[in-house]
Amino acid sequence: MPASPQAALNPLDPLSQAQTITRIMLTGEALAALLTLSQSARVDLLTYFGLASFTIQWVALASLAMLYLARRHLLRVSPTRIAAAALAALLCSTWLVTALAWAVLHDTWLVPAEGWPVFAVKLTTLALLVGLLALVAFHSHWRLRQLAVRAKQAELEALQARIRPHFLFNTLNTGAALVHQRPEDAERLLLDLADLFRAALAGPRAIPLSEEIALSRRYAEIEGLRFGDRMRIHWDLPEPLPGRAVPTLSIQPLIENAIRHGVEPSPSGGDIHVRLDVARDMLSILIENDLPPAGSTAARTGHKLGLESSRARIQALTGGLGDVATRIENGRHITLVTLPT
Protein backbone atom coordinates (compact mmCIF):
# COMPACT_ATOMS: atom_id res chain seq x y z
CA MET A 1 0.00 0.00 0.00
CA PRO A 2 1.59 3.33 -0.96
CA ALA A 3 2.89 5.49 1.78
CA SER A 4 1.18 8.80 2.18
CA PRO A 5 3.05 11.99 1.44
CA GLN A 6 2.34 13.01 4.99
CA ALA A 7 4.69 10.27 6.16
CA ALA A 8 7.54 11.54 4.02
CA LEU A 9 6.85 15.26 4.48
CA ASN A 10 5.85 15.79 8.11
CA PRO A 11 5.82 19.05 10.11
CA LEU A 12 7.79 17.33 12.89
CA ASP A 13 10.75 16.49 10.65
CA PRO A 14 12.54 19.88 10.99
CA LEU A 15 12.37 19.66 14.80
CA SER A 16 14.92 16.83 14.79
CA GLN A 17 17.49 18.82 12.81
CA ALA A 18 20.51 20.32 14.58
CA GLN A 19 19.98 23.79 13.14
CA THR A 20 16.38 23.90 14.40
CA ILE A 21 17.42 22.83 17.91
CA THR A 22 20.19 25.46 17.91
CA ARG A 23 17.74 28.19 16.89
CA ILE A 24 15.30 27.15 19.61
CA MET A 25 18.04 27.30 22.25
CA LEU A 26 19.24 30.72 21.06
CA THR A 27 15.65 32.00 21.10
CA GLY A 28 15.32 30.68 24.64
CA GLU A 29 18.42 32.60 25.70
CA ALA A 30 17.02 35.75 24.13
CA LEU A 31 13.74 35.26 26.03
CA ALA A 32 15.65 34.73 29.29
CA ALA A 33 17.60 37.95 28.69
CA LEU A 34 14.38 39.86 27.93
CA LEU A 35 12.72 38.61 31.12
CA THR A 36 15.82 39.53 33.13
CA LEU A 37 15.93 43.09 31.78
CA SER A 38 12.27 43.55 32.71
CA GLN A 39 12.95 42.91 36.40
CA SER A 40 13.38 45.62 39.03
CA ALA A 41 16.76 46.67 40.35
CA ARG A 42 16.11 44.86 43.67
CA VAL A 43 16.51 41.48 41.94
CA ASP A 44 19.94 39.93 41.42
CA LEU A 45 19.86 40.06 37.61
CA LEU A 46 22.67 37.53 37.08
CA THR A 47 20.99 34.95 39.31
CA TYR A 48 17.62 35.62 37.72
CA PHE A 49 19.06 35.21 34.22
CA GLY A 50 20.69 31.91 35.19
CA LEU A 51 17.46 30.52 36.64
CA ALA A 52 15.36 31.78 33.73
CA SER A 53 17.83 30.37 31.19
CA PHE A 54 17.91 27.04 33.04
CA THR A 55 14.12 26.80 33.11
CA ILE A 56 13.53 27.89 29.51
CA GLN A 57 16.16 25.58 28.02
CA TRP A 58 14.90 22.56 29.91
CA VAL A 59 11.30 23.36 28.98
CA ALA A 60 12.29 23.62 25.31
CA LEU A 61 14.34 20.40 25.34
CA ALA A 62 11.65 18.49 27.24
CA SER A 63 9.01 19.64 24.74
CA LEU A 64 11.17 18.51 21.80
CA ALA A 65 11.79 15.17 23.53
CA MET A 66 8.04 14.61 24.02
CA LEU A 67 7.31 15.37 20.37
CA TYR A 68 10.17 13.10 19.26
CA LEU A 69 8.90 10.20 21.36
CA ALA A 70 5.37 10.70 20.00
CA ARG A 71 6.44 11.20 16.35
CA ARG A 72 5.30 7.76 15.18
CA HIS A 73 1.79 8.34 16.55
CA LEU A 74 1.66 11.79 14.92
CA LEU A 75 2.70 10.70 11.42
CA ARG A 76 -0.87 10.28 10.17
CA VAL A 77 -2.29 13.23 12.11
CA SER A 78 -3.23 16.50 10.47
CA PRO A 79 -0.88 19.52 10.93
CA THR A 80 -3.57 21.22 13.08
CA ARG A 81 -3.56 18.35 15.57
CA ILE A 82 0.23 18.26 15.51
CA ALA A 83 0.22 21.96 16.43
CA ALA A 84 -2.17 21.25 19.34
CA ALA A 85 0.09 18.39 20.48
CA ALA A 86 3.13 20.68 20.34
CA LEU A 87 1.37 23.31 22.46
CA ALA A 88 0.27 20.66 24.96
CA ALA A 89 3.84 19.33 25.13
CA LEU A 90 5.11 22.86 25.85
CA LEU A 91 2.61 23.39 28.69
CA CYS A 92 3.31 19.96 30.20
CA SER A 93 7.05 20.58 30.01
CA THR A 94 6.62 23.98 31.66
CA TRP A 95 4.73 22.49 34.60
CA LEU A 96 7.10 19.52 34.93
CA VAL A 97 10.34 21.53 34.78
CA THR A 98 8.99 24.24 37.08
CA ALA A 99 7.90 21.66 39.67
CA LEU A 100 11.29 19.93 39.54
CA ALA A 101 13.13 23.25 39.79
CA TRP A 102 10.98 24.27 42.75
CA ALA A 103 11.73 20.97 44.48
CA VAL A 104 15.50 21.19 43.86
CA LEU A 105 16.08 24.95 44.11
CA HIS A 106 13.47 25.86 46.68
CA ASP A 107 15.67 28.28 48.61
CA THR A 108 16.98 30.15 45.57
CA TRP A 109 13.89 30.05 43.36
CA LEU A 110 12.75 33.63 42.75
CA VAL A 111 9.01 33.42 43.35
CA PRO A 112 7.04 36.71 43.46
CA ALA A 113 5.45 37.86 46.69
CA GLU A 114 2.04 36.73 45.42
CA GLY A 115 3.09 33.15 46.05
CA TRP A 116 3.37 29.89 44.14
CA PRO A 117 -0.15 29.68 42.59
CA VAL A 118 0.11 33.11 41.00
CA PHE A 119 3.64 32.32 39.85
CA ALA A 120 2.45 29.08 38.22
CA VAL A 121 -0.35 30.94 36.42
CA LYS A 122 2.14 33.53 35.14
CA LEU A 123 4.49 30.83 33.85
CA THR A 124 1.61 29.02 32.15
CA THR A 125 0.43 32.24 30.50
CA LEU A 126 3.97 33.04 29.33
CA ALA A 127 4.42 29.53 27.93
CA LEU A 128 1.07 29.74 26.17
CA LEU A 129 1.90 33.09 24.56
CA VAL A 130 5.37 31.96 23.47
CA GLY A 131 3.92 28.71 22.13
CA LEU A 132 1.25 30.49 20.10
CA LEU A 133 3.84 32.87 18.60
CA ALA A 134 6.08 29.90 17.77
CA LEU A 135 3.18 28.08 16.11
CA VAL A 136 2.36 31.12 13.97
CA ALA A 137 6.00 31.37 12.86
CA PHE A 138 6.25 27.65 12.21
CA HIS A 139 2.99 27.64 10.26
CA SER A 140 4.42 30.31 7.92
CA HIS A 141 7.66 28.32 7.57
CA TRP A 142 5.73 25.12 6.85
CA ARG A 143 3.59 26.77 4.18
CA LEU A 144 6.66 28.19 2.46
CA ARG A 145 8.33 24.79 2.55
CA GLN A 146 5.30 23.08 1.00
CA LEU A 147 5.17 25.71 -1.76
CA ALA A 148 8.88 25.19 -2.44
CA VAL A 149 8.38 21.41 -2.67
CA ARG A 150 5.47 21.81 -5.08
CA ALA A 151 7.44 24.28 -7.23
CA LYS A 152 10.40 21.89 -7.37
CA GLN A 153 8.15 18.96 -8.25
CA ALA A 154 6.51 20.94 -11.07
CA GLU A 155 9.96 21.87 -12.39
CA LEU A 156 11.10 18.24 -12.29
CA GLU A 157 7.93 17.01 -14.00
CA ALA A 158 8.46 19.50 -16.84
CA LEU A 159 12.06 18.37 -17.10
CA GLN A 160 11.18 14.68 -17.17
CA ALA A 161 8.52 15.25 -19.82
CA ARG A 162 11.37 16.05 -22.21
CA ILE A 163 13.16 12.77 -21.40
CA ARG A 164 10.33 10.21 -21.46
CA PRO A 165 9.67 10.35 -25.24
CA HIS A 166 13.26 9.23 -25.89
CA PHE A 167 12.83 6.22 -23.61
CA LEU A 168 9.35 5.52 -24.99
CA PHE A 169 10.52 5.47 -28.62
CA ASN A 170 13.45 3.18 -27.81
CA THR A 171 11.17 0.81 -25.90
CA LEU A 172 8.56 0.67 -28.65
CA ASN A 173 11.25 0.00 -31.24
CA THR A 174 12.57 -2.82 -29.07
CA GLY A 175 9.05 -4.22 -28.66
CA ALA A 176 8.44 -4.07 -32.41
CA ALA A 177 11.65 -6.03 -33.02
CA LEU A 178 10.65 -8.69 -30.48
CA VAL A 179 6.97 -9.11 -31.28
CA HIS A 180 7.49 -11.78 -33.98
CA GLN A 181 10.69 -13.49 -32.80
CA ARG A 182 10.14 -13.42 -29.01
CA PRO A 183 6.48 -12.61 -28.31
CA GLU A 184 6.73 -13.46 -24.57
CA ASP A 185 9.56 -10.95 -24.11
CA ALA A 186 7.58 -8.36 -26.07
CA GLU A 187 4.57 -8.91 -23.81
CA ARG A 188 6.72 -8.59 -20.68
CA LEU A 189 8.28 -5.41 -22.07
CA LEU A 190 4.87 -3.80 -22.63
CA LEU A 191 3.67 -4.78 -19.14
CA ASP A 192 6.82 -3.30 -17.55
CA LEU A 193 6.38 -0.15 -19.65
CA ALA A 194 2.76 0.16 -18.48
CA ASP A 195 3.85 -0.10 -14.82
CA LEU A 196 6.51 2.58 -15.27
CA PHE A 197 4.18 5.03 -16.97
CA ARG A 198 1.44 4.34 -14.43
CA ALA A 199 3.88 5.40 -11.69
CA ALA A 200 5.00 8.44 -13.67
CA LEU A 201 1.45 9.61 -14.41
CA ALA A 202 0.41 9.20 -10.76
CA GLY A 203 2.45 12.32 -10.00
CA PRO A 204 4.85 13.13 -7.16
CA ARG A 205 4.16 11.04 -4.07
CA ALA A 206 5.88 8.85 -1.53
CA ILE A 207 5.92 5.10 -2.08
CA PRO A 208 7.55 2.20 -0.20
CA LEU A 209 11.18 1.55 -1.06
CA SER A 210 10.26 -1.98 -2.21
CA GLU A 211 7.88 -0.51 -4.81
CA GLU A 212 10.52 1.93 -6.08
CA ILE A 213 13.06 -0.90 -6.36
CA ALA A 214 10.48 -2.99 -8.25
CA LEU A 215 9.94 -0.12 -10.72
CA SER A 216 13.72 0.20 -11.15
CA ARG A 217 13.96 -3.53 -11.83
CA ARG A 218 11.22 -3.27 -14.47
CA TYR A 219 13.06 -0.43 -16.13
CA ALA A 220 16.30 -2.47 -16.08
CA GLU A 221 14.46 -5.44 -17.63
CA ILE A 222 13.22 -3.25 -20.48
CA GLU A 223 16.71 -1.93 -21.15
CA GLY A 224 18.11 -5.45 -20.77
CA LEU A 225 15.96 -6.57 -23.70
CA ARG A 226 17.40 -3.74 -25.77
CA PHE A 227 21.07 -4.23 -24.87
CA GLY A 228 21.08 -8.01 -24.36
CA ASP A 229 24.38 -9.41 -23.06
CA ARG A 230 25.99 -5.96 -23.21
CA MET A 231 24.18 -4.97 -20.01
CA ARG A 232 25.02 -6.89 -16.85
CA ILE A 233 23.23 -5.64 -13.72
CA HIS A 234 23.76 -7.14 -10.29
CA TRP A 235 21.33 -6.54 -7.40
CA ASP A 236 22.59 -6.92 -3.83
CA LEU A 237 19.47 -6.26 -1.75
CA PRO A 238 18.44 -7.50 1.71
CA GLU A 239 15.27 -9.50 2.22
CA PRO A 240 12.90 -8.10 3.22
CA LEU A 241 13.56 -4.56 2.08
CA PRO A 242 13.25 -1.80 4.71
CA GLY A 243 9.85 -0.16 4.99
CA ARG A 244 11.19 3.35 4.37
CA ALA A 245 9.10 5.58 2.07
CA VAL A 246 10.90 7.30 -0.82
CA PRO A 247 9.81 9.75 -3.54
CA THR A 248 8.38 7.98 -6.55
CA LEU A 249 10.86 7.53 -9.44
CA SER A 250 13.81 8.72 -7.35
CA ILE A 251 16.01 5.60 -7.71
CA GLN A 252 14.95 4.68 -11.26
CA PRO A 253 16.58 7.78 -12.89
CA LEU A 254 19.89 6.78 -11.29
CA ILE A 255 19.64 3.30 -12.81
CA GLU A 256 18.76 4.98 -16.10
CA ASN A 257 21.88 7.16 -15.90
CA ALA A 258 24.08 4.18 -15.08
CA ILE A 259 22.79 2.41 -18.22
CA ARG A 260 22.91 5.46 -20.48
CA HIS A 261 26.39 6.56 -19.47
CA GLY A 262 27.99 3.26 -18.50
CA VAL A 263 26.53 0.66 -20.87
CA GLU A 264 25.13 2.39 -23.96
CA PRO A 265 28.30 4.21 -25.16
CA SER A 266 30.57 1.16 -24.80
CA PRO A 267 30.72 -1.46 -27.60
CA SER A 268 31.31 -4.16 -25.00
CA GLY A 269 28.66 -2.86 -22.62
CA GLY A 270 29.29 -2.75 -18.90
CA ASP A 271 28.45 -3.93 -15.41
CA ILE A 272 26.11 -2.18 -13.00
CA HIS A 273 26.00 -3.00 -9.30
CA VAL A 274 23.14 -1.94 -7.01
CA ARG A 275 23.67 -2.50 -3.30
CA LEU A 276 21.51 -1.51 -0.32
CA ASP A 277 22.90 -1.20 3.22
CA VAL A 278 20.97 -0.43 6.40
CA ALA A 279 22.60 1.20 9.42
CA ARG A 280 20.94 2.14 12.72
CA ASP A 281 19.77 5.58 11.60
CA MET A 282 20.65 5.69 7.90
CA LEU A 283 19.82 3.71 4.76
CA SER A 284 22.22 3.84 1.82
CA ILE A 285 21.80 2.71 -1.80
CA LEU A 286 25.00 2.38 -3.83
CA ILE A 287 24.83 2.33 -7.64
CA GLU A 288 28.09 1.62 -9.49
CA ASN A 289 28.70 1.55 -13.24
CA ASP A 290 31.67 1.44 -15.58
CA LEU A 291 32.88 4.80 -16.82
CA PRO A 292 32.03 5.61 -20.47
CA PRO A 293 34.89 5.48 -23.01
CA ALA A 294 37.05 8.59 -23.05
CA GLY A 295 35.93 11.19 -25.59
CA SER A 296 32.36 9.91 -25.86
CA THR A 297 29.35 12.22 -25.49
CA ALA A 298 28.34 10.41 -22.31
CA ALA A 299 31.78 11.07 -20.83
CA ARG A 300 31.33 14.80 -21.42
CA THR A 301 27.72 15.18 -20.25
CA GLY A 302 27.96 12.85 -17.27
CA HIS A 303 25.10 11.89 -14.95
CA LYS A 304 23.75 15.37 -14.28
CA LEU A 305 20.07 15.30 -15.28
CA GLY A 306 18.84 12.22 -13.45
CA LEU A 307 21.17 12.99 -10.55
CA GLU A 308 19.75 16.48 -10.01
CA SER A 309 16.20 15.18 -10.39
CA SER A 310 16.66 12.47 -7.75
CA ARG A 311 18.62 14.73 -5.40
CA ALA A 312 15.93 17.44 -5.51
CA ARG A 313 13.11 14.93 -4.92
CA ILE A 314 14.87 13.22 -2.00
CA GLN A 315 16.01 16.43 -0.31
CA ALA A 316 12.59 18.05 -0.72
CA LEU A 317 10.60 15.13 0.63
CA THR A 318 12.99 14.33 3.54
CA GLY A 319 13.46 17.91 4.70
CA GLY A 320 17.13 17.92 3.70
CA LEU A 321 17.98 14.78 5.70
CA GLY A 322 18.47 12.64 2.57
CA ASP A 323 20.94 13.26 -0.24
CA VAL A 324 22.43 11.92 -3.47
CA ALA A 325 26.20 12.17 -3.94
CA THR A 326 28.60 10.91 -6.63
CA ARG A 327 32.27 10.09 -6.90
CA ILE A 328 34.74 8.33 -9.19
CA GLU A 329 36.58 5.42 -7.63
CA ASN A 330 38.75 2.67 -9.20
CA GLY A 331 37.58 3.52 -12.71
CA ARG A 332 33.88 3.35 -11.82
CA HIS A 333 31.18 5.95 -11.32
CA ILE A 334 29.52 5.60 -7.91
CA THR A 335 26.23 7.17 -6.91
CA LEU A 336 25.33 7.05 -3.20
CA VAL A 337 21.76 7.68 -2.04
CA THR A 338 21.35 8.24 1.72
CA LEU A 339 17.98 8.27 3.47
CA PRO A 340 17.09 8.54 7.16
CA THR A 341 15.51 5.36 8.54
Side-chain angles (χ1 to χ4, degrees), residues 275-279 282-286 336-339:
R275 188 174 79 246
L276 191 150
D277 297 313
V278 183
M282 192 64 65
L283 182 151
S284 62
I285 303 170
L286 199 70
L336 178 63
V337 180
T338 53
L339 294 164

Side-chain angles (χ1 to χ4, degrees), residues 8-276:
L9 187 62
N10 191 276
L12 293 177
D13 290 343
L15 296 181
S16 62
Q17 298 179 11
Q19 59 182 3
T20 302
I21 297 175
T22 302
R23 289 172 183 168
I24 291 174
M25 296 184 71
L26 291 175
T27 303
E29 290 300 296
L31 178 60
L34 185 64
L35 291 174
T36 302
L37 293 175
S38 67
Q39 299 303 308
S40 64
R42 291 175 298 175
V43 176
D44 185 347
L45 296 183
L46 187 59
T47 302
Y48 190 95
F49 175 77
L51 290 173
S53 176
F54 171 86
T55 304
I56 291 171
Q57 295 298 347
W58 276 104
V59 167
L61 292 175
S63 301
L64 291 175
M66 288 182 182
L67 291 174
Y68 181 79
L69 292 175
R71 69 192 187 282
R72 296 189 183 276
H73 301 288
L74 297 174
L75 282 179
R76 299 185 181 277
V77 174
S78 67
T80 302
R81 293 190 177 182
I82 291 177
L87 192 58
L90 178 63
L91 292 176
C92 290
S93 300
T94 301
W95 299 330
L96 177 62
V97 171
T98 304
L100 289 175
W102 174 258
V104 175
L105 305 172
H106 184 81
D107 295 334
T108 57
W109 192 245
L110 302 177
V111 179
E114 295 88 345
W116 168 254
V118 176
F119 182 58
V121 171
K122 287 183 176 180
L123 283 177
T124 301
T125 304
L126 179 62
L128 188 60
L129 290 174
V130 171
L132 290 174
L133 289 174
L135 288 180
V136 170
F138 192 78
H139 177 72
S140 300
H141 166 77
W142 178 244
R143 293 272 303 187
L144 289 174
R145 183 182 171 199
Q146 286 181 312
L147 290 174
V149 169
R150 292 191 184 111
K152 178 59 70 176
Q153 288 172 341
E155 177 185 343
L156 293 173
E157 284 178 350
L159 193 60
Q160 287 186 335
R162 295 161 48 194
I163 308 170
R164 288 173 187 153
H166 173 76
F167 167 65
L168 177 61
F169 296 149
N170 284 338
T171 303
L172 292 178
N173 287 333
T174 303
L178 293 173
V179 71
H180 294 297
Q181 300 175 352
R182 294 153 59 190
E184 291 122 350
D185 289 339
E187 180 183 5
R188 180 160 53 92
L189 179 145
L190 293 175
L191 291 174
D192 290 342
L193 182 64
D195 288 337
L196 283 170
F197 271 80
R198 188 179 298 111
L201 293 174
R205 59 195 176 101
I207 62 175
L209 176 63
S210 58
E211 188 174 330
E212 176 65 18
I213 292 294
L215 289 172
S216 300
R217 282 182 176 270
R218 289 186 177 93
Y219 173 80
E221 288 174 0
I222 291 173
E223 294 290 55
L225 292 172
R226 183 158 72 101
F227 291 107
D229 294 337
R230 290 177 56 210
M231 191 184 91
R232 300 170 294 276
I233 185 165
H234 311 277
W235 301 88
D236 184 6
L237 306 173
E239 288 291 344
L241 286 169
R244 181 67 168 88
V246 298
T248 182
L249 297 180
S250 56
I251 307 300
Q252 178 271 331
L254 303 178
I255 305 294
E256 179 179 353
N257 270 340
I259 295 171
R260 180 177 297 178
H261 301 290
V263 176
E264 187 172 359
S266 175
S268 60
D271 291 274
I272 299 172
H273 294 265
V274 182
R275 188 174 79 246
L276 191 150

